[in-house]
Amino acid sequence: MITFEGAAKIYPDGTVAVAHLDLTVETGKTTVFVGPSGSGKTTSLRMINRMVEPTDGTVRIDGADIRGRNPAQLRRAIGYVIQQAGLFPHRTVLDNIATVPLLLGWRRRRARARAAELMELVGLEPAQAKRYPHQLSGGQQQRVGVARALAADPPILLMDEPFSAVDPVVRTSLQDELIRLQQELHKTVVFVTHDIDEAVRLGDRIAVFRPGGELAQYDSPERLLAEPVDAFVESFIGYDRGVRRLSFFPARGLSLREDVVFDDEDRVERARSVVAGDGEPWALVVDSARIPQGWVSAAQLDRAPAGVPLGSLELAPYGHTFDVGTDSLRAALDAAVLSPAGRAVGVDDEGRVVGVVSQDDLGAAIWSVSE
Amino acid sequence: MDILNELVAWFSDPAQWTGPAGIPARMGEHVYYSLTGLLISAVIAVPIGLFTGHTGMGGFLTASLANFARALPTIGVLFLIVLAAGIGLAPVIAALVALAVPPILVNTHEGVRGVEPRLKDAALGMGMRGGEVLFKLELPVATPLILIGMRTAAVQVVATATIAAYVGVGGLGRYIVDGQARQDLTMMLGGSVLVVALAVVTTLLFAGLRRLLVAPGLRAEAAAAR
Ligand SMILES: Nc1ncnc2c1ncn2[C@@H]1O[C@H](COP(=O)(O)OP(=O)(O)OP(=O)(O)O)[C@@H](O)[C@H]1O
Ligand SMILES: [Mg+2]
């Protein structure tokens, strides 16, 4: 547990980086500091490993004032990951990762063996051990940075915008990797970002900072999106917070229609009778393995000659699907919005169609959670 | 053409290659003066440069001192020291040191100071102490620049060690000074050729040192940045 008690940092030039911070970071959870540029996130983070000394207040780790700890020793027990990794250019990947164990006096062989383990843990190929940092991509460098921070198995991990310098695709995969690692390791992670989406994805708890170094709100992601405390937080988390909040509700509860799903061998008239009787404007065509093929409209069915198999009609693309077991309402909504039929296709974990969600049913589900 | 033939004759005269005034002996003296001057300079300049670069203290002083020293005419320094300390090897070495310290000092200082702040931040954040930051990060990263400073110093020292002859000491300068006194152009040329050859060898030596002392990661990085 990390506790800020009235912690403040005022620089000699009068800049108030952190005004007065009271905050408890829970052990084994991921806490995200988020806020606009200059709001004191980095300063607060660096108070934890004494890279910044507060000008007022106290920071405690498990109840003990960190001023009682030697800074170098304290830092060796806290993993530290920075933007663009900050790898040593003169050291190989393996030796970069082994840095803290070596500082702690481990034998080289043991430190390197540990480093090799860490490479595997963060998803680096063993062949990259002998490379130098400049030979790696930004994403790979960041993985090495995470491995380096974890090498001595510290209980606390501080990460300052670690993924901000890589492209969105790589960033998503690094975030996934961190989520997976955290499920395995249960570190006390403090993560700084100014990307609210990243905060919502990674955080068990989110601390929103406002300019002037004040804590605006400290809450779970769900509550933050549902109940921003004031106009600043509301505008910071963005106009689409309602949609974003849907990611906390599973799509599992949606009622799926199976009767408008047809095999591509089925005849036109069969679909026509179901669709017409129901006033439903679209039918989904699947192949024999129930893999979606595309949408066919009621108007198309009316025009098509009888006896033709559905698979031979010109089908509208089905867009993307959502997984009924694991995806959220947000994914279902997104699938519906991007579908030409305005309906979302729900699939199982092997991509087989389970059913489709009509706009009415999706709307009802969204309304019910928004209450 | 004549002068070339004479030069070849001068070099191929067996008498030239033996005795205390022979090429091997003169070359030995020259290398000895140069090496002594360079080593003393490095022992003075590298630690000071590391200190000022690491702490950020005295950066301005270092640069001004180095600029001042660079503006000094070496031969003037030599005569000044000889006037003060008398004839001998010591004033020669002192003049060479005055010449070699500035480039080594400036490059060491700049090399250390130029280490990216985020690398120092990472080093401190991982729990390195001042000395560990210096020796595990700043020195290795600054090594390429320090070596360039030493190479510049070494080439200058090799060229300048010829002045030893003016104050009655040996070295390849003897050929030039004595040649001048005897109006022996071939001898002067021969001496010059030897000095130039030694300077070239020195440069090559530093290329080798770079391979030996600079981490492959840094060498390739510099190549990529070029
Ligand atoms: N050494 C310093 N001297 C004076 N002011 C400083 C110093 N370091 C930071 N500040 C100021 O303190 C404030 C908070 O800085 P901090 O780095 O904590 O912000 P941040 O929330 O991390 O911002 P960003 O998202 O841009 O990284 C800023 O106004 C910054 O200019
Ligand atoms: Mg910051």
Side-chain angles (χ1 to χ4, degrees), chain B residues 89-145:
Chain B
L89 189 55
V92 171
I93 300 292
L96 294 181
V97 168
L99 182 75
V101 161
I104 302 177
L105 180 57
V106 169
N107 274 35
T108 307
H109 175 84
E110 291 300 332
V112 171
R113 221 191 44 160
V115 175
E116 281 180 74
R118 85 196 149 84
L119 295 184
K120 281 184 265 187
D121 187 69
L124 288 170
M126 285 189 291
M128 287 193 177
R129 299 173 212 273
E132 285 161 338
V133 175
L134 180 59
F135 290 109
K136 290 176 196 284
L137 172 67
E138 291 170 329
L139 180 58
V141 172
T143 300
L145 216 58

Side-chain angles (χ1 to χ4, degrees), chain A residues 9-18 33-46 52 83 160-161 192-194 209-210 212-213:
Chain A
K9 179 71 185 181
I10 301 175
Y11 281 103
D13 66 1
T15 309
V16 180
V18 178
F33 291 178
V34 70
S37 193
S39 56
K41 307 178 296 291
T42 298
T43 307
S44 303
L45 182 87
R46 287 159 63 93
V52 166
Q83 203 175 346
D160 193 352
E161 300 196 34
V192 167
T193 178
H194 39 230
F209 286 69
R210 74 169 94 241

Side-chain angles (χ1 to χ4, degrees), chain A residues 256-263 283-295 318-325 343-357:
Chain A
L256 298 168
R257 290 188 60 164
E258 230 210 304
D259 56 337
V260 292
V261 180
F262 299 93
D263 197 276
L284 183 71
V285 178
V286 299
D287 68 6
S288 56
R290 289 195 72 78
I291 303 302
Q293 303 298 303
W295 294 99
Y318 62 91
H320 73 100
T321 59
F322 70 96
D323 186 316
V324 297
R343 281 150 177 69
V345 179
V347 298
D348 64 14
D349 52 11
E350 281 168 45
R352 291 182 300 238
V353 172
V354 180
V356 302
V357 193

Side-chain angles (χ1 to χ4, degrees), chain B residues 69-92:
Chain B
R70 225 178 288 182
L72 288 180
T74 311
I75 194 89
V77 173
L78 178 64
F79 286 135
L80 263 181
I81 299 173
V82 169
L83 283 178
I87 292 265
L89 189 55
V92 171

